[in-house]
Structures are given as C-alpha cells and as structure tokens.
Amino acid sequence: MTLPDHGSTVRSALRGACSASWSVRADAGRRLAGTAQDAEVAAVLLRLLLDGQDTWVTQETAEALLERGDETGLRLVLAALTAADDDTGDHLHAAVTNVCCQSDEGLERLGTLLAALTGDADPLIGEEAGDMLRGWAFRR
C-alpha cells in the first residue's frame, strides 16, 4: 500500500488499518475519522466499516465517524450499510443509536443530515438515507 502524503499521525493510522490486530484496526478507524473528507482516507475507513474479521472495528469506526456530526461521517456509514451483511449492519445501526439517538438534539441533527443525504449523488446512499429517515422518524 502506498501511503498518501499526510502527516505522521495519519500515516501511522493508515498503517494501523492494515494490521492483523483487531484493536489496532479499531484504533486506526477512530484516529482516521477526523480526516474522512480525504478520498484516500475515506476508502480505508469504508474498508474498516466493513471489516470482515471483527465487528468491534466496524462499530468503533462508525461511532467515530458519527461523532463528527456531519454529512461526511454519516455518508460513509450509509455507504457501508449499502454493502453490509446482516451482522455488520446491526453494528452500524447500533453505532447510529449510540451516537445519534441519545438526545432530542442528536435525533434532530440525525434527521437533518439524513434529509440532506436523501439527495446524494450516489442513489444507493440516498436510498439508505431515506430508509433510515423513515425508520427513525418515530423517535422524533
């Protein structure tokens, strides 16, 4: 893997994302979430969200992305949901609940972000956002 030209912290986290250790991969996902707007980092984050070896990596990465509180983080989680198996999808939904659904403010922010993402350029992400928006509407 050729590492993009990032600071040493990001380069270290990108290396960690390839680790055989689930805990190192989970830590890498948490550390990389802050630079999710970078296309190369986003690709690594998507891989971590769909980690086939340990769902802890999935959930930690998803929670870190959702803690950003922006479209970038939620969009990546929605992208993962479009490709996730049932078990991984359960952990992605749990991350949404853990981060976004603990207060009225969190639910309102989630609704606003989901509404914005229903018009995403990627129709699968737009559809996933719409499905989630309808699913979480009862909580508002």
Side-chain angles (χ1 to χ4, degrees):
M1 173 174 150
T2 303
L3 298 176
D5 187 23
H6 292 293
S8 63
T9 301
V10 173
R11 281 195 306 271
S12 173
L14 287 167
R15 282 191 298 274
C18 298
S19 174
S21 168
W22 63 267
S23 62
V24 173
R25 291 193 314 278
D27 179 62
R30 192 158 274 291
R31 291 171 38 210
L32 289 170
T35 53
Q37 65 281 358
D38 179 286
E40 291 181 77
V41 172
V44 172
L45 286 164
L46 186 57
R47 190 182 80 235
L48 292 171
L49 287 167
L50 297 170
D51 191 283
Q53 297 174 349
D54 199 292
T55 53
W56 181 254
V57 177
T58 296
Q59 194 154 341
E60 280 294 294
T61 303
E63 288 183 7
L65 285 165
L66 294 166
E67 287 166 0
R68 291 172 54 107
D70 64 5
E71 286 184 32
T72 299
L74 180 57
R75 185 179 192 284
L76 277 168
V77 172
L78 293 172
L81 278 166
T82 69
D85 62 29
D86 289 342
D87 189 38
T88 300
D90 288 346
H91 285 274
L92 292 167
H93 281 288
V96 172
T97 298
N98 292 347
V99 174
C100 303
C101 301
Q102 301 303 312
S103 68
D104 290 339
E105 295 82 15
L107 283 167
E108 186 172 326
R109 182 173 43 253
L110 176 62
T112 300
L113 293 172
L114 287 169
L117 288 167
T118 59
D120 194 84
D122 181 331
L124 292 175
I125 291 173
E127 184 178 324
E128 194 68 46
D131 289 348
M132 188 178 287
L133 185 61
R134 286 185 294 280
W136 292 100
F138 74 92
R139 294 181 179 236
R140 294 174 117 193

